[in-house]
Amino acid sequence: MNGIEKITARIQQDSQKEIDAILADAKAKAAEITAQAQAEAKAAGEEILAQGRRAAAEREDRMASTAQMECRKAMLTAKQEVIEEAFQLAHKKLLALPTEQYVALLADLAVQASTTGREKLIFSPSHRAQLGKAVVMAANKKLAEAVAPKLPEEVASSKAGAILDKVVTGASAVLNGTGMLTLAEETRPMDGGFILSDGAVEVNCTFDTLIRLQRGALAGEVAKVLFE
């Protein structure tokens, strides 16, 4: 091997070493880049998974909250329906009272609603025919007794005393201008109760109205009884 060949061989060796070094460095950088890319991809993947889990948890919470809200609404609706049925049942029971108790109840209502003792009582057609007179008489008796002086027991207990008591009661009612309720010729459609009329002024004592007016005050108590 002459000098030129040696020089050429040396150059080739040096070139190969440089090429090998460059390739090694390139491989190392490629491996570093690959590792970094893999790490970033893994981190990104984990973040995506975490976001997915958070989104799923949030959706689950929203669905659970919505389900609870719908459940509360359904329970509230059901309770309101049961309370409504309770008031409807109360209405039916009022209408189903025995005649004597029904007349006494309406007479008490008339006494409480009356302000002059000279109003007219308006009933439904059937109740006017069946109960109207009895209610008016019972109410007038209560109004008269409220203003009549009380006779001594030894006087009122005798037969003559009982007659005298009635006379005194009637006279007291006349003097006080009370106990003169009358049965109106007019009738109106209603489901229990009556309307107390004094000219242009009317007091609605129908069962529908009385129950509706009491509902706000009694609904809470009814709910306690039904749902506790």
Side-chain angles (χ1 to χ4, degrees):
M1 180 179 296
N2 54 35
I4 294 174
E5 291 176 345
K6 289 181 179 180
I7 293 171
T8 303
R10 181 66 179 268
I11 291 173
Q12 289 178 347
Q13 289 177 356
D14 291 342
S15 298
Q16 187 62 44
K17 289 180 181 179
E18 187 175 352
I19 290 170
D20 291 340
I22 293 171
L23 288 175
D25 184 56
K27 288 180 180 178
K29 287 183 178 179
E32 181 180 351
I33 293 171
T34 300
Q36 183 177 355
Q38 289 177 344
E40 291 177 354
K42 183 179 179 181
E46 290 176 351
E47 177 60 23
I48 291 171
L49 287 175
Q51 290 178 356
R53 293 191 190 99
R54 288 195 296 270
E58 290 173 358
R59 183 181 180 188
E60 183 179 358
D61 289 342
R62 287 196 300 270
M63 291 176 67
S65 178
T66 301
Q68 291 175 356
M69 186 179 298
E70 292 300 323
C71 182
R72 286 195 294 269
K73 286 181 180 179
M75 290 180 64
L76 179 60
T77 300
K79 287 182 177 181
Q80 289 174 340
E81 289 176 354
V82 172
I83 292 172
E84 176 62 26
E85 289 178 4
F87 280 103
Q88 290 178 2
L89 180 60
H91 191 163
K92 291 178 181 179
K93 285 186 175 293
L94 287 173
L95 293 173
L97 285 173
T99 300
E100 185 177 346
Q101 294 181 29
Y102 191 84
V103 169
L105 172 63
L106 294 190
D108 286 339
L109 286 175
V111 170
Q112 294 174 29
S114 174
T115 56
T116 66
R118 298 183 296 275
E119 296 94 342
K120 293 182 179 181
L121 272 70
I122 303 173
F123 292 89
S124 67
S126 61
H127 279 188
R128 184 187 186 281
Q130 297 169 4
L131 309 167
K133 289 183 180 179
V135 173
V136 169
M137 290 177 62
N140 279 333
K141 182 180 179 182
K142 289 177 179 291
L143 288 170
E145 289 173 348
V147 297
K150 301 299 179 185
L151 296 179
E153 181 63 28
E154 59 272 15
V155 175
S157 60
S158 65
K159 190 172 183 179
I163 296 174
L164 178 60
D165 185 48
K166 289 183 179 180
V167 172
V168 170
T169 298
S172 299
V174 172
L175 290 173
N176 285 275
T178 190
M180 291 181 282
L181 299 175
T182 56
L183 181 61
E185 292 294 332
E186 176 189 3
T187 61
R188 296 185 192 176
M190 63 186 79
D191 194 10
F194 59 88
I195 294 174
L196 193 72
S197 175
D198 188 9
V201 179
E202 292 186 349
V203 180
N204 192 326
C205 296
T206 61
F207 288 166
D208 283 335
T209 298
L210 294 176
I211 290 174
R212 176 173 54 80
L213 292 175
Q214 289 297 316
R215 179 166 184 159
L218 296 178
E221 295 299 321
V222 172
K224 286 182 181 179
V225 172
L226 291 174
F227 305 123
E228 279 188 348

